[in-house]
Amino acid sequence: LLELRSQPHKNFFQRRSRKMYRKTFDVILVLVSALSISSSAFAQAVKAPNAKKETKSYIVVMANAPIAAYEGDISGYLATKPGKGQKVNPNSTHVHKYGKVLKKSHDQSLAAAGVNASTKVNEYTFALNGYSTILTEAQVKALKTQDGVLMVLEDQMRYADTDSSPTFFLPYC
């Protein structure tokens, strides 16, 4: 009889012990999670002295005319500007030849600013003569002082915006 009475107490303490371990485990888990989150946030906030300089995406607009507007100003390169009512032939040898000149000028402007050409993201030659690249602030300043560069613009995300609702256009569709 004594053994039977001690059994319920033993079972009670075992259940209570499991609950206590579970609560302790949960508390430790929450603490570890909180510490890992706060330490990663702290690591991002503190800048190491050898950390890479902050870079941003920029669009560099060059002075030479793009393919769609080139009128043959450079000797040895025929005009690529289409006649009135015509389109640019992208397969034309004149277009390819002048396009190479534009791309070479892009690489030269980067090299003059001390920037590796591999930082180029896109090249624009048809409607705009320029390129997009990843630069530091010092490199931007070096590019802005070059003769062949019209402007250097920070690349920004643009969103379509309207002050009229789409239902405004429905009667006209």
Side-chain angles (χ1 to χ4, degrees):
L1 188 65
L2 185 61
E3 285 182 43
L4 290 175
R5 287 186 181 171
S6 66
Q7 290 284 338
H9 293 291
K10 184 178 180 186
N11 202 9
F12 170 77
F13 286 117
Q14 283 180 345
R15 279 185 279 156
R16 187 172 177 128
S17 178
R18 275 191 231 140
K19 285 183 181 179
M20 188 171 70
Y21 284 126
R22 179 66 184 180
K23 284 183 181 179
T24 306
F25 176 75
D26 290 344
V27 168
I28 291 172
L29 184 64
V30 168
L31 286 173
V32 168
S33 298
L35 285 174
S36 68
I37 290 170
S38 65
S39 65
S40 66
F42 179 75
Q44 289 175 356
V46 175
K47 291 190 177 186
N50 295 331
K52 190 176 178 181
K53 295 178 183 175
E54 185 177 340
T55 58
K56 294 181 183 175
S57 179
Y58 290 90
I59 297 175
V60 180
V61 180
M62 304 295 288
N64 289 338
I67 290 171
Y70 176 63
E71 296 179 339
D73 302 338
I74 302 172
S75 65
Y77 296 93
L78 297 176
T80 56
K81 180 179 179 179
K84 194 170 190 173
Q86 295 181 342
K87 296 180 181 180
V88 174
N89 179 3
N91 299 319
S92 165
T93 56
H94 305 302
V95 169
H96 283 280
K97 190 175 177 183
Y98 183 64
K100 286 181 183 178
V101 169
L102 295 180
K103 289 178 181 181
K104 185 177 178 183
S105 72
H106 300 168
D107 292 341
Q108 289 172 343
S109 73
L110 284 169
V115 182
N116 191 336
S118 67
T119 63
K120 252 189 311 188
V121 179
N122 290 306
E123 289 195 271
Y124 314 110
T125 56
F126 274 82
L128 173 78
N129 177 18
Y131 56 93
S132 64
T133 185
I134 308 298
L135 302 168
T136 64
E137 195 62 38
Q139 294 167 334
V140 170
K141 288 178 183 175
L143 276 171
K144 284 183 176 179
T145 61
Q146 293 180 15
D147 288 336
V149 175
L150 285 181
M151 64 179 82
V152 181
L153 305 166
E154 185 178 338
D155 195 3
Q156 298 176 352
M157 182 63 76
R158 305 286 183 176
Y159 299 97
D161 192 17
T162 179
D163 57 358
S164 301
S165 68
T167 58
F168 173 78
F169 297 106
L170 288 179
Y172 304 103
C173 294

